[in-house]
């Protein structure tokens, strides 16, 4: 009887571990995986906003790397807690043109059966990026307006 319970327990552990997400599996997922949004903003501003948005969402940045000249990848993690085994989030920032940038967010639970995990960080991160870019655009418009008014007077 104990042998059978031990085998069932070992099989359960293997099934849970087989469903684990690692930084490598999230990083190696296709670049188009996850939820995306295109922003009418320059690449550098969008990349900075994406990093800030990930941190403000409660993620720790594990790595940030340049995939190619037009693409950056940010890997963030939510640590293990009393209520969650942790989560991994990948943010991919892609330059489409000089003033157009696409951001894709792919989330993964460290363990598939982790029902207490937030699960999807995409909407939080993308909305935060949109807010940061709109604030930056308004600040730039105000600055330019002040310069024009000072020239006219």
């Amino acid at each position: 009887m104990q042998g059978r319970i031990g085998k069932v327990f070992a099989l359960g552990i293997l099934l849970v571990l087989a469903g684990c997400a690692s930084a490598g599996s999230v990083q190696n997922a296709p670049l188009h995986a996850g939820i995306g949004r295109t922003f009418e903003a320059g690449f550098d501003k969008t990349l900075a906003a994406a990093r800030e948005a990930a941190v403000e969402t409660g993620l720790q940045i594990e790595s940030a790397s340049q995939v190619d000249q037009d693409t950056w990848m940010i890997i963030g993690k939510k640590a293990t807690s009393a209520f969650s085994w942790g989560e991994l989030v990948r943010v991919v920032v892609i330059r489409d043109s000089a003033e157009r940038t696409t951001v894709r967010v792919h989330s993964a639970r460290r363990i598939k059966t982790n029902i207490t995990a937030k699960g999807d960080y995409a909407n939080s991160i993308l909305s935060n990026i949109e807010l940061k870019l709109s604030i930056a655009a308004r600040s730039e418009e105000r600055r330019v307006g002040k310069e024009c008014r000072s020239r006219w007077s």
Side-chain angles (χ1 to χ4, degrees):
M1 183 71 165
Q2 285 181 335
R4 192 177 305 171
I5 293 173
K7 288 179 183 178
V8 169
F9 180 73
L11 180 60
I13 294 292
L14 285 174
L15 288 174
V16 167
L17 292 177
C20 288
S22 67
S25 67
V26 171
Q27 186 172 352
N28 293 329
L31 291 178
H32 63 274
I35 297 172
R37 191 175 298 170
T38 300
F39 299 97
E40 299 299 325
F43 180 78
D44 293 333
K45 287 181 182 178
T46 308
L47 178 59
R51 284 182 179 165
E52 290 174 24
V55 170
E56 289 174 8
T57 311
L59 299 171
Q60 296 173 329
I61 303 298
E62 191 168 284
S63 68
S65 58
Q66 189 170 8
V67 176
D68 58 39
Q69 70 182 22
D70 294 324
T71 309
W72 270 80
M73 181 184 304
I74 302 166
I75 304 292
K77 67 179 180 178
K78 186 74 171 183
T80 302
S81 70
F83 302 104
S84 173
W85 286 99
E87 299 167 87
L88 294 166
V89 178
R90 182 187 72 187
V91 180
V92 176
V93 182
I94 305 165
R95 180 189 340 257
D96 296 329
S97 66
E99 289 300 316
R100 189 177 178 114
T101 307
T102 298
V103 178
R104 299 198 70 82
V105 180
H106 172 62
S107 303
R109 295 176 173 146
R110 288 223 187 240
I111 297 179
K112 299 282 186 211
T113 58
N114 187 2
I115 60 172
T116 58
K118 180 175 179 178
D120 187 14
Y121 285 80
N123 288 329
S124 300
I125 291 173
L126 295 171
S127 295
N128 198 337
I129 292 169
E130 188 171 348
L131 178 65
K132 290 180 179 312
L133 292 175
S134 68
I135 289 170
R138 284 195 306 267
S139 296
E140 180 67 13
E141 288 169 4
R142 281 191 206 115
R143 186 189 64 75
V144 170
K146 285 180 183 179
E147 284 179 10
C148 289
R149 285 190 299 277
S150 69
R151 287 185 196 144
W152 294 337
S153 40

